[in-house]
Amino acid sequence: MTEEGPSQPGTEGMVGLDEPKKMTREDWRKKKELEEQRKLGNAPAEVDEEGKDINPHIPQYISSVPWYIDPSKRPTLKHQRPQEERQEQFSTIGEWYKRGVQEKPISTKFRKGACENCGAMTHKKKDCLERPRKVGAKYTGTSLAPDEHSQVCLDLDYDGKRDRWNGYDPEDHQRIVEEYSKVDLAKRTLKAQKLQDELASGKLMDQAEREHNSEDEDEDKYADDIDMPGQNFDSKRRITVRNLRIREDIAKYLRNLDPNSAYYDPKTRAMRENPYSNTGMNPDEVGYAGDNFVRYSGDTITMAQTQLFAWEAYEKGSEVHLQADPTKLELLHQSFKVKKEDFKEKQKEGILEKYGGEEHLDAPPRELLLAQTEDYTEYSRHGAVLKGLEKAVARSKYEEDVLINNHACIWGSYWKDGFWGFKCCHSMVKQSYCTGEAGINTASSSACVPFEEGLEEPQEEEQPKTLLEMHQEKLKEKKKKKKSKKNKKKHNSDSSDSENEEKKKEKLRKALDAEDKRLRQMEALMQVDERKRPYNSLQEVKEPTEEELEAFRMKRCRADDPMASFLGQ
């Protein structure tokens, strides 16, 4: 048995709350990629513990639970929503003050804890509103007052306090309905009794007149006051006000709440396009397919063409009218279309017989000739085709993909050092034959060895030298260098001074010539317009030497020199 050591303070509540392991670089990259895909909408959103989607744009420090609180919890937004235990509780819609409560039977004996003045159990003597008695009910035991009804305490919210129908009893309306039904039943009974009396007395009216009177007395007698659907008559201005839709119909802008659906013009109350076009529903299956569908469907187009033909025929002298004589107009229009087709066929045949070229009429379609079309094509964000066909690649008028001289690639498929070539053999000569991999290896090598040099006889390999021999050779080379240095110092000591002076003079002479050249260039530039002078930013800038500085000082013109004006003469 081993004794357990004393537990460390503060570790009791940290059981199982280990710090999470550090993520690897690969896991971190995958996590970031998943977050980006969720933000773009390509991956499903993360779900919290309640099954609700979490907005991917919400920061992590808001949605995730800290590891030191509960590492097993999933990301959630429950703490961002209203907490039920913190919500203020209000009275429900069915709770209201009780009205017309019947009083309880009055007690005959005084009860303990009741009001000493009147005997009611709902209040005390100091809160009693009854006249103070000379002798209280506690002592007399007579004329005990009934208990008051205590109303419930309602805690209403903002809307409940302002609800005009709060506390309304629907049974009140039911009583009104029952009252009217009883009146209607009494009227029908009285009417039936009156009819029986007429039959008994022999004063029965004609059937038509009786039906007419019954219709007048029926509920339909108010139908004259009802406006026709779609219009309203204003009696003051004596005009008819048009309503573009019946009030019972669904509003056009409520048929499809997608903001990208058909446009609704609120001024004219018109929706020309089909609101169900993006839903995939057939226009014949929906109740409303847009104003254009109604306007250009059925016989509307045919009737419009017939009306146009009637106007043109009337201008040319034919007495036809669409509403007055529609049958004559329809027969005339049909014969006109047949004659028009025959005339076009004869005209086409005459042109082909005279000029020829019938073979050009059988040419392939324009899409095959030019590889261009006006068909609608819709692409996704990744370039995939959603609607329509992919556009054909437009080809140039020059020959393409022509391979010459056994080459596997075309000329211009390879580029190096400012020159075009063949990719298959890296040849830069256009009319050359393909050499394949051998040409690539030859071009990639640093230098090409001539054929004659490659036939040299191999030299005999020298035997490796020992460390002693290598050390002795180094000592001999050092001795030779020391002797050569001593001899050079002796010979160069006399001639070094004279040579240095000659070199300095030569450098100074060259610097003076360069300075004269620079001054002449500056004078020429000063005579040119400043807008036409070249730039000096691309010239190389170096630190001037001693000879160049000396030449600049010698050639510099000083303004305070009295002989400066005679230098240019």
Side-chain angles (χ1 to χ4, degrees):
M1 299 280 300
T2 59
E3 296 182 359
E4 295 181 358
S7 60
Q8 296 294 333
T11 60
E12 296 179 358
M14 300 294 290
V15 176
L17 297 182
D18 297 334
E19 185 176 357
K21 295 181 181 180
K22 187 177 181 180
M23 299 176 64
T24 60
R25 183 174 296 177
E26 185 67 20
D27 295 341
W28 180 262
R29 184 181 62 81
K30 290 181 180 179
K31 182 180 178 182
K32 288 297 179 183
E33 289 180 356
L34 181 59
E35 290 179 0
E36 292 297 330
Q37 292 297 324
R38 283 174 175 169
K39 289 180 180 180
L40 294 174
N42 298 330
E46 193 173 6
V47 182
D48 61 358
E49 57 187 6
E50 297 180 356
K52 299 179 180 179
D53 293 343
I54 298 177
N55 192 334
H57 298 281
I58 292 178
Q60 185 180 4
Y61 67 87
I62 293 179
S63 61
S64 61
V65 181
W67 64 270
Y68 50 82
I69 294 179
D70 191 356
S72 63
K73 272 196 172 183
R74 297 174 58 188
T76 180
L77 294 178
K78 186 177 180 181
H79 56 283
Q80 298 287 334
R81 301 188 181 97
Q83 306 296 323
E84 294 182 359
E85 60 273 7
R86 296 184 180 180
Q87 294 298 314
E88 188 176 356
Q89 300 296 330
F90 297 101
S91 301
T92 60
I93 193 172
E95 297 180 8
W96 194 246
Y97 304 108
K98 293 185 179 180
R99 297 172 179 172
V101 180
Q102 294 181 356
E103 295 181 353
K104 296 180 181 179
I106 302 174
S107 179
T108 57
K109 293 183 179 180
F110 181 80
R111 292 162 293 177
K112 187 178 180 180
C115 177
E116 297 178 0
N117 185 42
C118 65
M121 289 290 295
T122 54
H123 60 271
K124 297 296 182 181
K125 182 179 180 181
K126 63 178 181 179
D127 300 327
C128 186
L129 300 177
E130 193 173 322
R131 178 183 61 84
R133 301 181 184 181
K134 187 176 183 179
V135 182
K138 179 179 180 181
Y139 304 103
T140 61
T142 58
S143 302
L144 299 177
D147 299 339
E148 298 96 345
H149 175 70
S150 57
Q151 295 285 0
V152 294
C153 183
L154 298 180
D155 188 9
L156 302 175
D157 56 355
Y158 182 86
D159 295 329
K161 293 176 182 178
R162 291 158 180 80
D163 188 6
R164 59 182 299 186
W165 294 100
N166 203 347
Y168 176 74
D169 188 6
E171 295 181 359
D172 295 344
H173 180 70
Q174 187 64 26
R175 286 193 291 270
I176 296 174
V177 173
E178 291 176 358
E179 182 181 354
Y180 274 86
S181 61
K182 290 178 181 178
V183 173
D184 191 17
L185 182 60
K187 286 183 179 180
R188 292 178 183 273
T189 306
L190 184 62
K191 184 177 179 181
Q193 186 178 0
K194 185 178 179 180
L195 183 60
Q196 291 292 337
D197 295 342
E198 290 181 356
L199 287 172
S201 60
K203 298 179 180 179
L204 187 62
M205 297 181 294
D206 295 338
Q207 184 72 16
E209 187 178 357
R210 187 170 60 82
E211 290 180 359
H212 179 70
N213 293 338
S214 63
E215 289 178 359
D216 293 343
E217 294 174 1
D218 202 0
E219 296 178 355
D220 294 340
K221 62 184 179 180
Y222 301 105
D224 296 337
D225 299 335
I226 300 176
D227 296 330
M228 291 180 62
Q231 68 179 9
N232 184 18
F233 184 73
D234 191 352
S235 59
K236 295 181 180 179
R237 293 181 291 176
R238 311 298 295 177
I239 60 174
T240 301
V241 182
R242 292 287 298 173
N243 294 325
L244 298 183
R245 69 177 181 88
I246 306 174
R247 296 292 130 184
E248 289 77 13
D249 292 346
I250 302 176
K252 297 177 183 177
Y253 52 83
L254 294 179
R255 293 185 175 272
N256 191 352
L257 301 181
D258 186 6
N260 297 326
S261 62
Y263 172 72
Y264 175 74
D265 187 7
K267 186 176 181 180
T268 59
R269 298 181 184 178
M271 183 181 286
R272 295 173 178 82
E273 299 179 1
N274 185 9
Y276 302 101
S277 58
N278 298 332
T279 59
M281 300 174 65
N282 192 1
D284 299 333
E285 299 176 357
V286 298
Y288 177 77
D291 297 339
N292 290 343
F293 181 82
V294 177
R295 190 175 300 159
Y296 302 117
S297 61
D299 295 334
T300 308
I301 301 176
T302 307
M303 185 174 181
Q305 294 176 352
T306 308
Q307 181 67 64
L308 183 61
F309 172 75
W311 292 336
E312 293 177 352
Y314 182 78
E315 291 178 356
K316 296 179 180 179
S318 299
E319 294 292 338
V320 289
H321 197 273
L322 180 61
Q323 285 77 22
D325 199 354
T327 306
K328 178 182 178 182
L329 178 62
E330 183 66 26
L331 295 174
L332 186 61
H333 192 198
Q334 292 294 337
S335 62
F336 172 76
K337 288 192 289 186
V338 172
K339 292 180 181 179
K340 185 177 181 181
E341 291 295 332
D342 296 342
F343 175 73
K344 285 185 177 181
E345 289 293 333
K346 291 180 180 179
Q347 188 180 19
K348 182 179 178 181
E349 292 176 359
I351 293 173
L352 292 176
E353 290 177 0
K354 186 175 182 180
Y355 299 102
E358 188 175 358
E359 65 276 3
H360 298 290
L361 298 177
D362 300 332
R366 184 172 177 269
E367 290 80 2
L368 298 178
L369 288 175
L370 304 178
Q372 296 178 358
T373 179
E374 294 181 359
D375 296 338
Y376 174 74
T377 307
E378 185 175 343
Y379 298 89
S380 65
R381 67 176 69 179
H382 304 292
V385 179
L386 298 178
K387 293 182 180 179
L389 301 175
E390 290 191 10
K391 185 179 180 181
V393 180
R395 308 180 69 87
S396 64
K397 64 180 181 179
Y398 302 100
E399 295 181 353
E400 298 181 7
D401 300 334
V402 178
L403 304 177
I404 59 174
N405 296 337
N406 202 27
H407 284 285
C409 299
I410 62 172
W411 169 258
S413 58
Y414 181 68
W415 169 269
K416 184 178 180 182
D417 298 335
F419 297 97
W420 295 102
F422 295 96
K423 188 178 180 180
C424 53
C425 60
H426 291 188
S427 175
M428 300 298 179
V429 182
K430 187 172 184 180
Q431 300 298 334
S432 63
Y433 284 88
C434 183
T435 55
E437 294 292 334
I440 296 176
N441 297 332
T442 304
S444 60
S445 61
S446 59
C448 297
V449 181
F451 181 73
E452 292 79 3
E453 295 180 5
L455 297 178
E456 293 181 358
E457 295 180 358
Q459 299 179 358
E460 295 182 359
E461 296 182 357
E462 298 180 357
Q463 295 181 356
K465 298 180 180 179
T466 62
L467 294 174
L468 180 61
E469 293 176 352
M470 293 171 64
H471 183 64
Q472 290 177 355
E473 289 181 357
K474 287 182 179 179
L475 291 176
K476 290 180 181 179
E477 290 179 357
K478 288 183 179 179
K479 289 181 181 180
K480 288 181 181 180
K481 288 181 180 179
K482 288 181 179 180
K483 288 181 181 179
S484 61
K485 286 182 180 179
K486 289 181 180 179
N487 296 330
K488 286 182 180 179
K489 286 182 179 179
K490 291 180 180 178
H491 293 291
N492 297 335
S493 59
D494 299 334
S495 61
S496 60
D497 296 338
S498 59
E499 288 180 358
N500 289 338
E501 291 180 359
E502 291 178 357
K503 288 181 180 180
K504 287 182 179 179
K505 290 181 181 179
E506 183 67 21
K507 290 181 179 179
L508 182 59
R509 185 180 60 79
K510 291 181 180 180
L512 289 172
D513 295 341
E515 185 67 18
D516 290 338
K517 185 177 179 181
R518 188 183 70 82
L519 292 175
R520 288 194 296 270
Q521 290 179 355
M522 291 299 296
E523 290 178 0
L525 286 176
M526 293 303 292
Q527 294 177 1
V528 179
D529 189 6
E530 61 180 6
R531 292 172 294 182
K532 298 181 180 181
R533 294 175 187 172
Y535 294 100
N536 298 324
S537 59
L538 300 178
Q539 294 182 357
E540 187 178 4
V541 180
K542 295 182 180 179
E543 184 180 359
T545 60
E546 295 181 359
E547 289 77 13
E548 291 177 352
L549 291 174
E550 184 65 23
F552 175 74
R553 297 189 192 99
M554 294 172 65
K555 294 290 184 178
R556 184 175 59 178
C557 182
R558 296 174 176 82
D560 56 350
D561 189 2
M563 299 298 292
S565 59
F566 298 99
L567 292 177
Q569 297 180 359

